[in-house]
């Protein structure tokens, strides 16, 4: 089956409401059970998830470090057990070899257990072209084969299909009626239909969850029992496996078992964990070990760790854009975050290019991955490779040109001032009123109908923050920052589009005793360029920022995204030059976002010091990268409760991305729209009238969504909210002073 | 091999095994010996399929089952699948029971053994109490001691299931939809390498 172009797959996914509704429900259900399963594992083992996954990652890395040794050991043991082992470089070689095995046996029917590698090489199409009938026997795969579709998920292949459609499909194919709610009857139909094929087939195909070098064994995990039958019943068993599936020992395989079931389906172990060593008596076993870009991945330090993947699908299950479009658009044959990485190596740059912009860089995948693959960083590296290749990404050229202009601080600053003045008649309470004649039409509706664009103010924050221009704020009773000088890193976005945010941050810091300076030459930390795969531009901007802040003592930014960029991504981008990495790390060591500075840095404020007595409930949207990259949990909530005295209503899915992240909201706005919609739905459930967060990107995105949907919710930056309490808090402090 | 605090004493390992078995939607039972197993099985069925390896290892079992009025089907060499296709209840012996997961490790190299556990609807797995190990590493030791031989071993944990349609759990797909795990409390199984 040839894969349709990305644009078609993307449009089809968006047009299908079932995909979105079904996947959102699936993601929510999975999250709860997976988290409970991992927590139970941590208790059972007396070790954290991070420790357990580091152990499995080290096992997989150890194999790659001595790859040919383990391959040889596996092959030697498997051959000794009676298997025939063939190593192939390409899908073409794999298909030709498997087809020749089937033909030599005179078989025309092949039963298949679930195998992603067989999908990777397009085995079914090849067999069919040679007059051989492949029958998928995993329930989900069987349904998709009947529907002439491919899997949209590594573990739950048919998760994008609602039961109504499956019932209709089975009705059409099997000629009897199925009630959508009667899933057991549909399952029974599969059992009946497949039983005779198991018994009649000449060849059984399986994949492998692990190749155990110690014994030449294949480990196959499954729940249905179909794999056991595919392996056992036919007179020939063919295994297709990627060469990265090796583990040294059975004990290592058990460590994989512990994390695989829980990460895939929240089970402590699947119903069957089969260890197959050679053929059964009277049977032949052929093991086909596939490279197809894996050696190239191992040699590329940017992506080598992706070979640890145990195909659990967790990275898709926590991915907000995956929840919108599903795996047919989010990925290629391999779906989810891992698909955005390995597709480039297994299926080429062209196949990898389309879905790149769907990743919002929220980092949720890296948190859930049971082998600790740094997926967000790897995705950005692959995106760079795509950007550097001949292949075009959605809106790729426009983005590159726009970033070129943006990188020039003076040009950008001048341009924004012109827009600010020109758009004066359209400015309304912080948003731009899009003229009605335009608002409902094609591209304008796609771009702004769901998210009112922010207004461009006439004056950027840097103007208001010039020395002597800002009114002296009331002083807090506590002055933890007395005598300290803070360099404020404004963030380009807030400076030009939400100046009240850095202004509020400056006021707050001064209220706590700091002297606040705003280095004039500052521009952008490089994040937008990094997100777009334009690493040279990003590096230039990081260097410019490092130069501007070189002499600063404490650097504070109201944008947590800039902190994530400067502390995590900048050293990675500069990794070619040791001295630059060192300077980037030094800068990261003295750079804080506001919440970090006020809770863990020098600006620690005592409990109640910003309490003005207002008890209006608030809720908190946690900036996704603060949770996933900076490792922050409920710091903002605790601060608001303890220091500001605000009642905080928990926000469901608080750490999930709002949809602004990455370049998604520019390149594939439909995805950003639906991710935002999910966030706004969660906000509605809190019934809070104020939502607080600490990343300006989220704020502009949420404000636009709130405005466009007519909701009555105030979206505030932490600094804005706290500055609003300064007067009352200062008065209270005076009253308390004897 | 790591061992947890609760896994130190035999009885608590058995408790953990029981909890694992029940969490996997199997039924847990203790019987003193094979005679009690026979009585239990014969009370629920007229015909039982036996794994050929079990029939060979426990010849007395055949006699006892027949004496209890239970017909016996042992898959034949030529067409093992067809010979047990219509038998609803099957009886096998597990090599190990793993407390951590509630799994039973069943070694079934020959097709005759495998069709019994694959094709029946109700599977009775019998494990002597002294084959109980605490953790999955116990199964790894067992496999490593034999280098993966004789060739096919499965950790079985509950009845066959799927959640492929809207993540809705449905018990019983290609494999059995009912699993009963019986621990033999008074009988000692043949010594086995790799058990702690």
């Amino acid at each position: 089956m040839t894969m349709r172009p990305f644009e078609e797959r993307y449009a089809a996914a968006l047009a299908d409401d079932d995909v979105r509704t079904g996947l959102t429900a699936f993601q929510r259900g999975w999250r709860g059970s997976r988290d409970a399963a991992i927590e139970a594992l941590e208790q059972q083992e007396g070790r954290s998830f991070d420790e357990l996954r580091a152990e499995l990652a080290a096992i997989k890395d150890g194999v790659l470090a001595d790859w040919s040794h383990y391959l040889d050991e596996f092959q030697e043991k498997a051959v000794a057990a009676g298997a025939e082992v063939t190593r192939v470089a390409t899908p073409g070689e794999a298909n030709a070899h498997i087809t020749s095995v089937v033909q030599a046996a005179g078989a025309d029917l092949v039963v298949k257990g679930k195998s992603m590698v067989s999908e990777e090489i397009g085995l079914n199409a090849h067999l069919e072209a040679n007059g051989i009938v492949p029958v998928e026997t995993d329930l989900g795969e069987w349904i998709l084969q009947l529907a002439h579709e491919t899997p949209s998920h590594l573990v739950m292949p048919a998760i994008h299909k609602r039961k109504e459609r499956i019932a209709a499909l089975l009705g059409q194919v099997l000629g009897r009626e199925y009630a959508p709610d009667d899933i057991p009857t549909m399952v029974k139909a599969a059992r009946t239909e497949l039983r005779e094929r198991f018994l009649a087939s000449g060849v059984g195909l399986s994949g492998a969850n692990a190749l155990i070098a110690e014994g030449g064994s294949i480990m196959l995990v499954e729940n249905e029992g179909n794999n056991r039958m595919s392996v056992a019943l036919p007179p020939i068993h063919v295994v297709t496996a990627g060469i990265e599936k090796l583990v040294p020992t059975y004990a290592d395989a058990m460590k994989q078992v512990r994390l695989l079931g829980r990460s895939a389906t929240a089970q402590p172990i699947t119903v069957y964990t089969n260890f197959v060593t050679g053929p059964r008596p009277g049977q032949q076993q052929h093991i086909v070990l596939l490279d197809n870009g894996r050696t190239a991945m191992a040699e590329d330090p940017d992506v080598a760790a992706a070979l640890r993947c145990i195909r659990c699908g967790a990275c898709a299950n926590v991915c907000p854009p995956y929840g919108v479009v599903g795996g047919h658009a989010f990925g290629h044959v391999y779906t989810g975050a891992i698909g955005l990485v390995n597709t480039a190596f297994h299926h080429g740059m062209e196949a990898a290019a389309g879905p790149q912009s769907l990743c919002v860089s929220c980092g949720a995948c890296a948190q859930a991955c049971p082998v600790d693959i740094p997926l967000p960083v790897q995705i950005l590296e692959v995106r760079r490779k795509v950007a550097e290749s001949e292949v075009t990404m959605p809106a790729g050229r426009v983005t590159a040109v726009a970033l070129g202009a943006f990188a020039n601080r003076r040009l950008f600053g001048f341009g924004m001032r012109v827009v600010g003045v020109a758009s004066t008649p359209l400015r309304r309470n912080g948003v731009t009123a899009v003229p009605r004649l335009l608002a409902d039409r094609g591209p304008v509706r796609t771009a702004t109908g769901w998210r009112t664009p922010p207004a461009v103010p006439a004056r950027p924050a840097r103007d208001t923050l010039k020395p002597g221009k800002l009114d002296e704020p009331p002083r807090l009773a506590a002055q933890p920052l007395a005598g300290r000088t803070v360099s404020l890193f404004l963030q380009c976005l807030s400076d030009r589009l939400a100046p009240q945010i850095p202004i509020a941050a400056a006021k707050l810091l001064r209220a706590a005793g700091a002297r606040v300076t705003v280095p004039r030459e500052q521009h952008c930390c490089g994040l937008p360029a990094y997100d777009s795969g334009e690493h040279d531009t990003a590096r230039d901007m990081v260097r410019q920022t490092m130069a501007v802040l070189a002499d600063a003592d404490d650097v504070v930014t109201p944008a947590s995204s800039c902190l994530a960029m400067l502390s995590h991504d900048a050293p990675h981008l500069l990794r070619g030059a040791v001295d630059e990495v060192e300077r980037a790390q030094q800068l990261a060591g003295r750079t804080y976002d506001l919440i970090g500075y006020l809770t863990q840095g020098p600006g620690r404020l005592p409990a109640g010091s910003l309490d003005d007595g207002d008890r209006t409930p608030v809720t908190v949207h946690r900036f996704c990268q603060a949770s996933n990259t900076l490792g922050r949990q409920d710091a903002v909530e605790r601060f608001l409760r303890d220091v500001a005295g605000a009642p905080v209503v928990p926000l469901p899915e608080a750490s999930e991305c709002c949809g602004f992240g990455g370049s998604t909201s520019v390149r594939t706005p439909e995805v950003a729209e639906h991710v935002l919609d999910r966030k706004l739905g969660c906000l509605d459930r809190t019934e809070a009238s104020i939502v607080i967060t600490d990343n300006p990107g989220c704020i502009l995105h949420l404000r636009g969504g709130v405005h466009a949907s007519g909701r009555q919710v105030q979206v505030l930056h932490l600094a804005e909210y706290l500055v609003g309490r300064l007067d009352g808090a200062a008065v209270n402090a005076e009253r308390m002073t004897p | 091999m790591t061992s947890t605090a609760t896994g130190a004493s035999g009885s608590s390992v058995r408790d953990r095994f029981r909890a694992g078995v029940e969490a996997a939607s199997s039924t847990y039972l203790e019987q003193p010996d094979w005679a009690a197993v026979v009585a239990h099985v014969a009370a629920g069925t007229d015909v039982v399929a036996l794994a050929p390896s079990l029939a060979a290892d426990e010849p007395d079992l055949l006699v006892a089952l027949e004496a209890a009025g239970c017909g016996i089907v042992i898959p034949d060499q030529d067409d093992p699948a067809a010979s047990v296709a219509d038998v609803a209840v099957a009886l096998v012996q597990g090599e190990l029971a793993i407390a951590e997961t509630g799994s039973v490790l069943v070694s079934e190299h020959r097709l005759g053994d495998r069709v019994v556990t694959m094709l029946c609807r109700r599977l009775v797995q019998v494990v002597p109490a002294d084959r109980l190990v605490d953790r999955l590493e116990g199964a790894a030791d067992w496999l490593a001691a034999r280098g993966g031989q004789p060739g096919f071993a499965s950790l079985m944990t509950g009845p066959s299931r799927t959640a492929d349609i809207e993540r809705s759990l449905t018990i019983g797909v290609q494999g059995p939809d009912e699993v009963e795990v019986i621990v033999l409390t008074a009988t000692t199984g043949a010594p086995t390498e790799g058990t702690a």
Side-chain angles (χ1 to χ4, degrees):
Chain A
M1 203 177 302
T2 327
M3 188 79 77
R4 289 177 299 160
F6 168 74
E7 288 71 18
E8 274 181 49
R9 290 183 276 134
Y10 179 63
L14 284 176
D16 188 347
D17 284 347
D18 276 3
V19 169
R20 200 158 49 246
T21 341
L23 287 177
T24 305
F26 160 65
Q27 288 190 328
R28 286 179 169 154
W30 178 86
R31 181 92 228 191
S33 5
R34 176 267 180 197
D35 288 354
I38 293 292
E39 203 185 314
L41 176 67
E42 288 177 320
Q43 278 180 9
Q44 173 190 304
E45 299 295 308
R47 288 194 293 164
S48 70
F49 177 61
D50 280 341
E51 288 170 308
L52 293 165
R53 67 179 182 162
E55 184 180 40
L56 184 55
I59 290 168
K60 301 286 287 184
D61 289 351
V63 168
L64 293 189
D66 205 358
W67 211 353
S68 59
H69 160 76
Y70 287 113
L71 266 173
D72 290 345
E73 185 184 0
F74 172 80
Q75 179 162 344
E76 187 192 312
K77 297 286 169 58
V79 168
E84 194 175 282
V85 179
T86 309
R87 299 188 200 180
V88 295
T90 65
E93 288 172 35
N95 286 330
H97 179 71
I98 295 166
T99 306
S100 73
V101 168
V102 178
Q103 284 172 335
D108 53 10
L109 179 66
V110 168
V111 283
K112 285 183 68 192
K114 186 166 166 38
S115 154
M116 279 313 298
V117 166
S118 79
E119 303 284 346
E120 176 185 333
I121 62 178
L123 179 61
N124 284 5
H126 192 86
L127 291 174
E128 281 164 2
N130 283 281
I132 299 159
V133 180
V135 177
E136 297 288 351
T137 64
D138 170 82
L139 178 65
E141 295 272 0
W142 179 68
I143 290 167
L144 293 181
Q145 192 178 29
L146 295 179
H148 306 290
E149 288 183 33
T150 53
S152 71
H153 189 279
L154 296 174
V155 175
M156 315 281 281
I159 194 66
H160 61 286
K161 282 192 110 57
R162 307 304 300 268
K163 56 186 187 235
E164 288 77 12
R165 297 214 182 164
I166 294 171
L169 172 74
L170 292 185
Q172 195 191 337
V173 174
L174 305 178
R176 56 165 286 199
E177 251 180 57
Y178 292 91
D181 288 326
D182 187 3
I183 293 173
T185 301
M186 291 194 256
V187 173
K188 266 192 205 114
R191 182 184 173 110
T192 312
E193 285 294 310
L194 290 171
R195 180 58 56 92
E196 60 190 72
R197 292 187 173 70
F198 278 120
L199 297 172
S201 67
V203 175
L205 272 151
S206 76
N209 295 93
L211 305 167
I212 302 165
E214 177 179 21
S217 304
I218 288 141
M219 182 173 81
L220 271 175
V221 310
E222 54 156 339
N223 279 315
E224 295 179 10
N226 65 304
N227 242 325
R228 291 165 50 76
M229 296 171 83
S230 303
V231 167
L233 291 168
I236 295 175
H237 173 208
V238 176
V239 182
T240 54
I243 49 176
E244 84 287 7
K245 285 289 188 297
L246 283 162
V247 294
T249 67
Y250 294 101
D252 295 330
M254 296 304 173
K255 292 188 166 76
Q256 178 175 333
V257 165
R258 268 192 198 107
L259 286 167
L260 177 57
R262 290 172 170 94
S263 300
T265 50
Q267 291 171 277
I269 189 169
T270 50
V271 174
Y272 302 104
T273 304
N274 308 298
F275 297 89
V276 192
T277 317
R280 63 167 167 77
Q283 193 188 38
Q284 290 175 31
Q285 187 182 66
H286 298 263
I287 302 174
V288 183
L289 300 179
L290 176 70
D291 188 317
N292 192 28
R294 288 164 174 81
T295 303
M297 283 177 82
E299 285 165 1
D300 184 340
D302 292 338
V303 296
L307 290 169
R308 296 174 190 160
C309 178
I310 55 172
R311 307 283 188 255
C312 68
C315 58
N317 302 351
V318 296
C319 173
Y322 178 92
V324 174
V325 293
H328 287 156
F330 200 105
H332 190 69
V333 169
Y334 291 105
T335 56
I338 189 69
L340 263 50
V341 175
N342 65 7
T343 296
F345 293 84
H346 301 329
H347 297 106
M349 283 297 165
E350 183 109 33
Q356 283 303 318
S357 58
L358 296 178
C359 167
V360 286
S361 296
C362 70
C365 49
Q367 291 304 302
C369 177
V371 281
D372 201 14
I373 302 171
L375 286 157
V377 180
Q378 295 196 341
I379 289 169
L380 290 174
E381 286 301 330
V382 171
R383 197 175 292 176
R384 171 184 60 81
K385 291 177 205 287
V386 172
E388 288 169 2
S389 74
E390 299 297 303
V391 177
T392 48
M393 278 187 279
R397 284 208 190 95
V398 180
T399 312
V401 170
L403 278 170
F406 170 69
N408 185 322
R409 180 177 63 87
R410 287 171 197 279
L411 180 64
F412 175 70
F414 175 73
M416 290 302 280
R417 280 175 203 271
V418 170
V419 174
V421 172
S423 64
T424 304
L426 302 177
R427 226 166 15 238
R428 307 262 188 289
N429 291 326
V431 295
T432 298
V434 181
R436 204 163 292 163
L437 266 175
L438 296 171
D440 292 334
R441 293 177 191 230
V444 179
R445 184 355 279 167
T446 309
T448 69
W450 53 281
R451 181 186 62 178
T452 314
V456 182
R459 289 197 327 157
R462 61 182 65 219
D463 284 11
T464 310
L465 290 171
K466 277 182 186 162
K469 290 224 167 183
L470 197 63
D471 294 339
E472 195 63 30
R475 292 274 163 164
L476 289 170
Q479 294 284 293
L481 296 173
R484 288 191 92 92
T485 299
V486 171
S487 294
L488 196 63
F489 188 66
L490 303 172
Q491 192 215 30
C492 52
L493 193 72
S494 323
D495 181 21
R496 306 288 171 175
L497 292 176
Q500 66 283 5
I501 293 174
I503 292 169
K507 283 185 184 167
L508 188 68
L509 293 166
R510 286 171 66 175
R515 181 177 158 261
V516 177
T517 67
V518 179
R520 294 293 298 163
E521 304 292 308
Q522 64 173 286
H523 179 31
C524 168
C525 63
L527 180 60
Y530 183 47
D531 267 341
S532 300
E534 305 285 339
H535 288 206
D536 287 340
T537 310
R539 249 187 301 274
D540 288 347
M541 299 180 104
V542 166
R543 288 189 181 118
Q544 197 266 343
T545 300
M546 281 165 55
V548 168
L549 299 174
D551 300 325
D553 298 326
D554 297 357
V555 178
V556 175
T557 175
S560 306
S561 57
C562 300
L563 175 65
M565 177 70 192
L566 291 174
S567 59
H568 285 255
D569 301 321
H572 172 74
L573 270 172
L574 300 171
R575 63 194 180 282
V578 180
D579 59 322
E580 283 195 316
V581 171
E582 212 167 90
R583 279 193 287 125
Q585 284 165 342
Q586 282 165 0
L587 175 62
R590 51 182 207 274
T591 301
Y592 302 84
D593 57 357
L594 193 66
I595 185 70
Y597 198 62
L598 297 179
T599 55
Q600 290 164 319
R604 267 186 300 270
L605 287 169
S609 54
L610 277 163
D611 188 355
D612 68 347
D614 183 2
R615 294 288 178 266
T616 310
V618 301
T619 191
V620 172
H621 160 64
R622 298 180 186 170
F623 168 50
C624 53
Q625 286 194 354
S627 302
N628 298 323
T629 310
L630 302 175
R632 197 164 282 150
Q633 301 294 317
D634 57 349
V636 175
E637 287 97 319
R638 275 191 287 116
F639 182 82
L640 286 168
R641 256 186 230 118
D642 300 346
V643 179
V648 181
V649 189
L651 175 68
E653 303 184 350
S655 298
E656 288 240 342
C657 178
C658 62
F660 182 76
S663 52
T664 308
S665 70
V666 179
R667 295 182 193 226
T668 42
E670 300 87 353
V671 168
E673 173 183 357
H674 288 296
V675 175
L676 174 63
D677 202 45
R678 178 167 168 175
K679 178 62 70 178
L680 293 176
C682 290
L683 277 180
D684 292 343
R685 281 155 65 191
T686 67
E687 296 184 6
S689 59
I690 300 172
V691 55
I692 295 168
T693 185
D694 62 347
N695 192 53
C698 308
I699 291 169
L700 293 178
H701 192 65
L702 289 168
R703 275 183 191 159
V706 163
H707 184 270
S709 64
R711 284 178 170 83
Q712 300 296 319
V713 180
Q714 249 191 310
V715 185
L716 294 177
H717 188 278
L718 176 68
E720 295 176 283
Y721 178 77
L722 296 176
V723 158
R725 296 172 91 84
L726 270 182
D727 283 326
V731 171
N732 284 345
E734 272 166 32
R735 277 193 198 131
M736 275 154 50
T737 316
Chain B
M1 191 171 85
T2 25
S3 173
T4 59
T6 51
S9 73
S11 65
S12 60
V13 175
R14 202 183 294 175
D15 288 346
R16 290 221 298 157
F17 177 64
R18 178 187 191 132
V21 165
E22 288 171 352
S25 314
S26 298
T27 312
Y28 177 91
L29 275 177
E30 291 179 5
Q31 298 287 357
D33 50 24
W34 277 107
V37 173
V38 166
H40 172 74
V41 170
T45 184
D46 296 334
V47 187
V48 63
L50 278 194
S53 61
L54 176 59
D57 288 351
E58 303 278 349
D60 296 349
L61 181 61
L62 277 72
V63 180
L65 277 166
E66 273 170 352
C70 203
I72 298 167
V73 177
I74 298 170
D76 65 43
Q77 293 270 357
D78 296 335
D79 195 353
S83 57
V84 294
D86 298 323
V87 184
V89 183
L91 186 59
V92 296
Q93 177 168 220
E95 297 292 340
L96 294 178
I98 292 91
E100 177 185 347
T101 51
S103 310
V104 175
L105 182 74
V106 181
S107 174
E108 35 186 26
H109 186 40
R110 296 181 174 278
L111 183 57
D113 284 348
R114 287 192 226 179
V115 291
V116 165
T117 56
M118 285 190 305
L119 301 181
C120 67
R121 301 310 310 241
R122 177 180 158 215
L123 176 63
V124 182
Q125 301 167 339
V126 181
V127 198
D130 63 352
R131 300 289 185 88
L132 192 55
V133 296
D134 188 20
R135 288 168 60 78
L136 284 169
E137 278 73 6
D141 290 347
W142 189 94
L143 288 160
R146 289 162 183 75
Q149 293 302 321
F152 188 90
S154 293
L155 288 165
M156 298 187 187
T157 318
S160 147
R161 67 179 64 190
T162 184
D164 270 358
I165 301 178
E166 288 198 8
R167 205 170 169 257
S168 163
L169 179 64
T170 308
I171 297 286
V173 195
Q174 302 299 343
D177 46 27
E178 204 184 321
V179 172
E180 226 171 25
V181 178
I182 302 179
V183 171
L184 293 183
T185 51
T187 312
T188 303
T192 174
E193 287 172 70
T195 14

